[in-house]
Amino acid sequence: MPAVARTLRLTQLKEADAAWRLLDADSAPVVAGLLGHHLGGDERRVDAEEFYERLDADLERLRDQGLTLPLSAKGYCAQWRAAGFLTRRASVESRGETLELSPDAIVAIRFIEGRAAPRSSATESRLASLAAQVRRLAIDTDPDTATRIALLEEEIERIERRIRALQAGDEAPLDESRVLERVRDLLAQAADVPDDFARVRADFEALNTALRQKIVESDAAQATVVDEVFRGVDHIAESEAGRSFGALSQLVLDPALGAAFEADVRRVLDRGFARRLSPAERRLLRSFLTTLKARSAEIHDVITVFARALRRYVQSHDYQQDRVLRSLLRDAQHAGVQASPHIRPWHPIGLSLDLSAVELSTVGALELDDPAEFAATDEVTAAVVTVADLDELRALARETEIDFDELTRNVNDVLSQLPSCTVAEVLAHHPATQGVASVIGLLTLAAAQGTVDDELESVAWTSTAGVPRAAVIPAHRFTGEVT
Amino acid sequence: MTTVQDGDAGDAREPLWPGDAGTLPDPTRRVLLRLVRGPYLSGAREPQLWAALLTDESPIRERLAELFLDLVVDPTNEFAFVRNAPSEQAPNAVRSERLTFLDTAMLLVLRHTLLSEEGRGRVIVGQADVFEQLAVYRTPDRDEKDFAARLNSSWHKMHNKLRVLHRAGEDRAEISPVLRLIVDADQVRAITAEFERIAREGSSAGTYDVEPAESVEPAEEDEA
């Protein structure tokens, strides 16, 4: 039966647990790879818009490698958020929002990465530290003072033995490979600590929401919560998450401990073996306490803000108004649904909203266009105005336009001597004064008002540049006076 | 609030520009302009202006009153804004915007969201979430695409005209904390009454299915 119960419990867990969901997903390598890289390192919180950009660039590169990734970064982030891998928060620095890994996703990604680079967990150092911890627990929990003293004296005895051995030169420092193994083991444990902070923060947020909901929504519980908040019980700090976080942050913020820790880290990094650590590992070791301090201060802020807001909320009796407003809003929305079949969505209703801004529109805001802003650098010379010469204008017009008046005159002149004539015949009597433009003009006239013969004829003209030209064209014939 | 320093503000000061007739110090004037321009002054976002407001609240209040404006300060949530002086005779200094049915419905959704999520600090909503909640207002005879377009137009109105939403990333918007005060219980009651009237009269007369839209008497406006 226990096996059955356990299986059922795990089946339930599989449904609810985001970490499991991530491991189970087909896209787990993509999720763990991308999110682990961008949000699992030193930078744990990134501006959403910026994150989309970075992710899109990576997705593009992955597509080039032949992976099928149909969505955009934004689309994936929406999916991952819905799946509980990402958490979205209002940014402290900017107007927008930030994205970070959810505590569950951190666990899953860490597991996947652990598989990618397995560390031997049964190390000598782990066993040693385990033994030390068990011993410490044994000492600290012993109810009999005499035994505790005896155990501590045993410890002193052991240390003195070691000092004597060192003085006699019997004990050599640890060899490098064993030291490195110890350091890496330490780093692995240290890496887990900031991740715990994410969980603590998530716990606080859930707690805050639950308390608020309790206050606003349920009559019975509200009385007790309100009562307790009034009695000064800091509900959040007294919670399990709050207490364990309090102990940790006290230790982190203890200046004596901090100084000693940092001095030790510096000493360790000065040793010869430290050269064999990667820059990232060295940085992690050096910045460990600073990171912890920053994260712990941040969570402190969150708790303080929540606690203060909660107390104020209760004390100001805002919650009573909110309770009323909540039910009023529900009524209004219900009435809206009833009204919706009878009114078009864009139809104004008989209400207006007073805005909290005055529209500033004064003629004083008009700014005259100042030509001096675009001052010409060259000296402006005034053009001398003279009376236009009509012939010159006509000549200018003739350069750009076909002179149909002239062509019509020419055609009609030839037709006064012959019953009909072709374009070539017109040109024989009146040479093309505008070169090819005259020929085209005649052809246009003939096409519109004359006929086209079956045979071909040759037309000749002199171009405006003075070069003789000829062309063979279907004979176009004028049969009557053109206009 | 800080009446001791108020006398300070009235003192003759170095003019800020040639021909400057003002008597208030530079930061106080900035507060004044910020308030008049709207939509609100946020203590979290503009701490310096906020400090200036707290220092010189009474001369600022005075100057605003000269413009028939009433100053609303929420010291807990740290924001301030102006509204029309609560007097029948006073001219309306701030604009008021006629609300369409969908605008009103959207305002209610936003107010509701603000109410339930305020405890966490700034409240940011997604356009899609808001639209989804408003889907109940689309009657079966209403074209889906057309309705979506109307929703879009209301969403933009919330940004540009009513200014109760501020952009926070693509398709995401922060709900202005001012909404707390401009959509209060009285306003919500007036909205409910109006909706009920529409449901009652609409079903008998059916007048609301006709465009153009300018047929509603603003009889209940004073109530709001």
Side-chain angles (χ1 to χ4, degrees), chain A residues 133-145 148 151:
Chain A
Q133 279 183 48
V134 170
R135 192 173 173 83
R136 184 140 296 269
L137 199 65
I139 297 173
D140 289 350
T141 54
D142 202 310
D144 185 357
T145 331
R148 277 170 81 178
L151 284 168

Side-chain angles (χ1 to χ4, degrees), chain A residues 306-370:
Chain A
F306 284 171
R308 203 193 298 145
L310 203 61
R311 196 171 303 132
R312 196 166 59 203
Y313 188 57
V314 174
Q315 281 170 348
S316 66
H317 294 280
D318 276 357
Y319 69 93
Q320 284 167 338
Q321 286 171 25
D322 279 359
R323 280 160 64 93
V324 174
L325 191 62
R326 183 176 290 259
S327 77
L328 283 175
L329 279 168
R330 242 178 238 140
D331 291 349
Q333 280 166 312
H334 179 71
V337 174
Q338 304 291 312
S340 60
H342 308 296
I343 182 164
R344 299 202 166 190
W346 61 92
H347 206 301
I349 62 165
L351 294 173
S352 58
L353 191 71
D354 279 348
L355 307 185
S356 54
V358 179
E359 199 175 20
L360 295 176
S361 55
T362 156
V363 71
L366 293 178
E367 222 174 296
L368 292 179
D369 186 34
D370 182 2

